[in-house]
Each structure stands twice: as structure tokens, then as C-alpha cells.
Amino acid sequence: MDCFFWKTLTHYFLHLIFPGIIAFVFYRENWKKVYLILLATMLVDLDHLFADPIFDPNRGSIGFHFLHSYYAIAVYFLMLFFKGNIRIIGIGLLFHMLTDFQDFHCWCH
């Protein structure tokens, strides 16, 4: 199997499955609600619609799209210092950024 297969598999595992593991391990009593919140943070990718082209496999999201900017990431980090759903959203957004970072920088192009 080629690099593209493993990159794609890892990307979707980290976006769709691993948030469920995070929710179940750290928020066991409300894991379904937390999992849905973590999945909802993928709406951050709506900023891709403002790019031309919308998808470019040779372009990293981090630092390019406005909701993937370093300023936005700093705000997501500050969300960790709140309680409740704000913290969960911050965790989801930061994990999304980490997933996008590894997707571009840790695999063959």
C-alpha cells in the first residue's frame, strides 16, 4: 500500500474515530455528547471555501486559512482554560489543527 493510502487512513481516523476515543476516555459519563461536539469542531474547515482553489494537496491548512491561522490557534488554546463545552470545543479545534499539521508535514507529498 502506498503512502497516500496511509495518509488518508490516518487523516480520517484522527478526524472521525480518535475524537470518540478522547470522549470515551476523558468524558465517559457524557461521551456521546462530547463526541458530537468534537465532531462539530470540524466545521472549522468551512474556511476552506474562501480559498482558491478550495482544496490544494500541496498547500498546508495551518497558517493559510483564517480559522487555521496562528492567531486562531492561540484563541483555541485559551479556550482550554474555560470549563464545560468551551473547553471541549477548544480541545476539538486544537486536535483538528494537530491532525491537519501532521497530514501536511509528516507524510510524503
Side-chain angles (χ1 to χ4, degrees):
M1 292 189 211
D2 65 352
C3 183
F4 180 75
F5 170 82
W6 291 109
K7 176 182 175 180
T8 303
L9 183 71
T10 301
H11 180 86
Y12 287 107
F13 172 80
L14 291 175
H15 271 323
L16 300 172
I17 306 300
F18 199 75
I21 296 169
I22 292 171
F24 189 75
V25 169
F26 294 105
Y27 296 93
R28 189 162 296 190
E29 291 182 15
N30 296 316
W31 76 270
K32 291 178 186 175
K33 173 189 164 196
V34 171
Y35 179 55
L36 290 174
I37 292 171
L38 293 174
L39 287 181
T41 62
M42 285 194 289
L43 290 171
V44 73
D45 276 340
L46 288 173
D47 64 353
H48 291 244
L49 297 174
F50 295 95
D52 185 29
I54 291 174
F55 176 73
D56 181 353
N58 297 314
R59 177 180 68 213
S61 297
I62 306 300
F64 182 81
H65 303 291
F66 61 90
L67 293 176
H68 291 67
S69 70
Y70 296 107
Y71 297 112
I73 292 170
V75 171
Y76 306 154
F77 179 77
L78 291 175
M79 293 170 79
L80 298 177
F81 295 97
F82 290 83
K83 293 184 180 199
N85 293 342
I86 300 295
R87 179 179 290 162
I88 295 167
I89 293 167
I91 290 167
L93 290 168
L94 287 172
F95 192 75
H96 183 99
M97 297 303 130
L98 180 67
T99 299
D100 284 0
F101 178 85
Q102 71 78 36
D103 191 51
F104 185 74
H105 292 288
C106 297
W107 295 92
C108 51
H109 292 285

